[in-house]
Structure formats: C-alpha cells, structure tokens
Amino acid sequence: MRPLQAKINLSALKHNFGVVRGHAPQSRTIAVIKANGYGHGMLRVARALEAAEGYAVLNVGEAVALREAGFKQAILLLEGFFSADELPTLAEHRLASVIHCQEQIEMLEMAGLPVKINVFLKLNSGMNRLGFRPEAFGAALQRLQAARSVGQITLMTHFACADEVQGIAAQLACFDRLATGLDAPRSLANSAAILRFPQAHGDWVRPGIMLYGSSPFADTSAVSLDLKPVMTLTSAIIGLQDLPAGEAVGYGATFRAEQPTRAGIVACGYADGYPRHAPTGTPVLVNGQRSRILGRVSMDMLCVDLTGISGAGIGSPVVLWGEGLPVEEIAAAAGTISYELLCALAARVPVVEV
Ligand SMILES: *Cc1c(COP(=O)(O)O)cnc(C)c1O
C-alpha cells in the first residue's frame, strides 16, 4: 500500500480543547468543525470533543449527520439557512441558525414552525462579510423577538483582525455599544480572540484552528501557546536518485543540483493536499531529521534532499507536517495559512487515529 497517511492524534485534540477552557473558563464552547473538522473528520472531531457544549458547521446536512450520530449539544449553522425549505429540518433537529440578513428574518416570520428555533443574530461590526450593520441591528432584533418561530436569541459578531496587530478594539466597541443593556447571551471570539482578548470571550467562544493545534498568529508558534498538532501527514521514501552536478529534478526542471546530490522521492503530491506552491527549500522531516523539498511538487510525488540525512533509503519515514514540523511552516513557505493546508487534505489520503 502507498505509505501516505494522515495520523489524527485524538489526545492532542482533547488537550487543545483544555487550552480553550483554560483561556475562557467562564464561557461555553462551540467547537468549530466546519470543512470536515478542518480536514480532520467532522464526526471524529465531534466525538473527541464531546465535552463541548456545541458544534458549528455550515450545512444542514452536516448538522443532521451530527444529530444522527447522537450528539445532543447545540449545533450552530454558521451561515444560517439558505432557503425557507430548510426551516422544518432546523426545527426537527433543533439546529440553531445564524441570522445575518433581512431575507432570513422574512423567511422565519412566514414559517409556521412546530417548535421555536434558536438564532445567533449577527452584527456586522466591521468585517463587512455577513451581518446587519449597526444601524439596522436594533430593528432586526425587534423583529426576531416578535417572530413566533424564534426561540433564544444570541448576539454575535466575528472579528476580521483578531490575529493581527490591528486587533479587535473598534469591532468590540461597536458590538458593546449595541449589546449594552440587552439581556441576551453573546458570542464573539474565534481562536485568536480566545487567546489574546479575554474581554471578548462572552458566553460562547467559537474555537476552530486552535483545537487542531495550529497557531492563528503569524508571529507566535503553536508550541508557545501550548497547542499540540493533531494531524501528522506522514509518508515514506519510495525512490532514490543520485543526481550528478548539473542535473535537474521534477517538472519544469526548477531545481538543478550544483553538486552531486542524493534525492529521495516521497509518496505525496498535490493531489493529496500538499501545496504545489511549496518551493525548493520547504522543510520536511526524513528519518526524523530536517531536510527540504527539491523542485516542483507533482500530483502524486515530491522530491526531498537526502544530503546529510543519516540512514535514509527506500522506506525511510517522512513527515510532511505535524508532529515535529508545524504545518504553519509549510503554509508560510507556500504563501498560505495552515487552515488551507489542513482543510485541503484529500479524500484519497487514508486517515488513522492515534
Ligand atoms: C471559522 C469560524 C470560526 C473559527 O475561527 P478560527 O480562526 O479557526 O478559530 C469562528 N467563528 C466563525 C463565524 C467562523 O466562521
């Protein structure tokens, strides 16, 4: 069998959940498990995080799968329902919905639901993606309070720059101004805000990336935040090439050996979710030792430098990211963020729990 595997460390997942609790001990936790649990497997992650008071996903189908698997916690649809015909399913399965636009309120008002559904009313406090602008927020709230199909209303916003120097001050001030005096639970914080802004924890925190053991910050390592990597993408050397000086490796011949170079061919490529934009020099572990990739990443393979790697040969273990090699490093080399790499793990990669 092809040696590529994604190992999912469930105790690391639980540990990282504990880190969330440590930072936000007064808040309930909605574990964000959208995008197949950031590539780790939605149901697998939900099971490991049974202690969470809620889960957040995007689609009704995902939410129903969680209910059918027996989860009784709150389930939040992060973009809410997309059309009125989804509302009976929300009612049947007690799914909570983000409400971010007028059209959703109208659909709720028209729906004669057998039970009330809980909603998270979203304020656009400055990110300008989803949500009601501050001047429209009060009216939206009043309409929801008057709607027969609506149960509990939680006030919500999402930060654009919680992971950047700009921070959350302006958005938090906007939210606080509108929420002051309202007797409703609040939900604001993603991972970055959980870690850096205790004043924004509110009643429900919404951690995503930190649960998976990756740092939301470009300038702070996961280790220094006490986060442990959950996914380790591992493979092995399946071929060896002794490149004479002057020869190139891979498509486009983008890497050319300056001196005789021993290269290893690894069973992992962009069809597995490894970023094709990772250039020569992107770090990799071979036999537990740090090396670098050479040339272009192919669909099913990539090439690594075995110079100075002791004991490397066919079958030598390779870590593409995870334990011992933070996924943030690979993401930075490829000009992206860890979120994208984790989410892009391909369906063809076998997953094993450890
Ligand atoms: C994805 C998402 C989160 C989680 O963000 P992280 O940066 O991964 O912690 C929280 N809230 C909302 C609304 C989201 O869409």
Side-chain angles (χ1 to χ4, degrees), residues 16 32 38 191-192 207-216 227 338-339 342:
N16 298 332
V32 179
Y38 288 45
S191 297
I209 196 70
M210 70 183 289
L211 292 172
Y212 307 101
S214 174
S215 168
L227 298 173
S338 61
Y339 297 69
L342 296 173

Side-chain angles (χ1 to χ4, degrees), residues 237-242 261-266 284-287 289-294 303-314 316-318:
I237 305 280
I238 60 165
L240 296 170
Q241 295 294 338
D242 284 305
T261 300
R262 171 151 261 223
I265 309 302
V266 179
V284 64
L285 298 183
V286 181
N287 256 353
Q289 300 156 71
R290 232 177 131 92
S291 183
R292 57 176 188 149
I293 73 165
L294 300 177
C303 183
V304 296
D305 192 351
L306 298 182
T307 308
I309 305 294
S310 53
I314 301 278
S316 292
V318 174

Side-chain angles (χ1 to χ4, degrees), residues 32 34 38 78 122 129 156 158 190-192 206-209 339:
V32 179
K34 61 191 179 190
Y38 288 45
L78 282 170
K122 189 162 190 177
R129 204 173 53 174
M156 171 189 184
H158 190 54
N190 59 1
S191 297
R206 305 190 306 269
I209 196 70
Y339 297 69

Side-chain angles (χ1 to χ4, degrees), residues 1-300:
M1 206 174 76
R2 198 165 173 250
L4 181 66
Q5 279 190 332
K7 299 195 162 114
I8 306 294
N9 182 337
L10 299 178
S11 43
L13 195 54
K14 289 177 189 168
H15 167 88
N16 298 332
F17 181 76
V19 176
V20 173
R21 292 286 207 224
H23 280 272
Q26 315 290 350
S27 307
R28 283 172 290 173
T29 302
I30 298 179
V32 179
I33 56 173
K34 61 191 179 190
N36 194 29
Y38 288 45
H40 296 69
M42 181 186 77
L43 290 175
R44 175 182 298 118
V45 173
R47 268 184 224 111
L49 302 183
E50 242 158 9
E53 289 83 4
Y55 300 107
V57 292
L58 288 189
N59 279 304
V60 167
E62 297 164 293
V64 171
L66 284 165
R67 284 283 179 254
E68 285 173 350
F71 293 99
K72 305 271 187 276
Q73 295 94 323
I75 298 180
L76 176 63
L77 299 169
L78 282 170
E79 297 175 355
F81 54 94
F82 299 94
S83 60
D85 59 10
E86 294 181 320
L87 283 169
T89 313
L90 268 63
E92 183 191 348
H93 293 284
R94 292 182 304 102
L95 309 180
S97 178
V98 164
I99 300 296
H100 61 81
C101 68
Q102 203 66 39
E103 288 72 11
Q104 288 177 318
I105 298 183
E106 280 152 24
M107 288 186 252
L108 271 175
E109 287 171 340
M110 307 282 284
L113 298 178
V115 291
K116 294 176 186 292
I117 67 163
N118 294 339
V119 298
F120 280 55
L121 176 59
K122 189 162 190 177
L123 170 70
N124 171 11
S125 57
M127 186 166 185
N128 287 314
R129 204 173 53 174
L130 296 182
F132 292 89
R133 293 190 65 83
E135 58 275 19
F137 193 72
L141 178 60
Q142 279 178 7
R143 279 180 73 174
L144 287 174
Q145 283 167 332
R148 267 190 322 251
S149 293
V150 172
Q152 179 159 67
I153 304 173
T154 300
L155 309 179
M156 171 189 184
T157 197
H158 190 54
F159 298 124
C161 301
D163 55 329
E164 317 234 340
V165 280
Q166 187 177 330
I168 63 164
Q171 284 194 264
L172 182 60
C174 174
F175 183 85
D176 283 344
R177 181 166 58 80
L178 284 154
T180 298
L182 297 176
D183 181 23
R186 301 170 187 201
S187 178
L188 306 86
N190 59 1
S191 297
I194 290 166
L195 292 164
R196 283 213 175 139
F197 302 110
Q199 68 274 32
H201 284 169
D203 300 279
W204 289 96
V205 290
R206 305 190 306 269
I209 196 70
M210 70 183 289
L211 292 172
Y212 307 101
S214 174
S215 168
F217 308 113
D219 60 355
T220 310
S221 71
V223 169
S224 70
L225 298 167
D226 189 28
L227 298 173
K228 301 193 166 140
V230 177
M231 181 195 297
T232 299
L233 186 61
T234 68
S235 190
I237 305 280
I238 60 165
L240 296 170
Q241 295 294 338
D242 284 305
L243 304 174
E247 285 207 17
V249 70
Y251 287 115
T254 62
F255 172 79
R256 201 167 284 284
E258 281 176 10
Q259 65 249 337
T261 300
R262 171 151 261 223
I265 309 302
V266 179
C268 181
Y270 61 78
D272 301 302
Y274 194 91
R276 186 176 170 279
H277 288 105
T280 292
T282 301
V284 64
L285 298 183
V286 181
N287 256 353
Q289 300 156 71
R290 232 177 131 92
S291 183
R292 57 176 188 149
I293 73 165
L294 300 177
R296 273 201 197 135
V297 174
S298 311
M299 186 182 287
D300 311 312

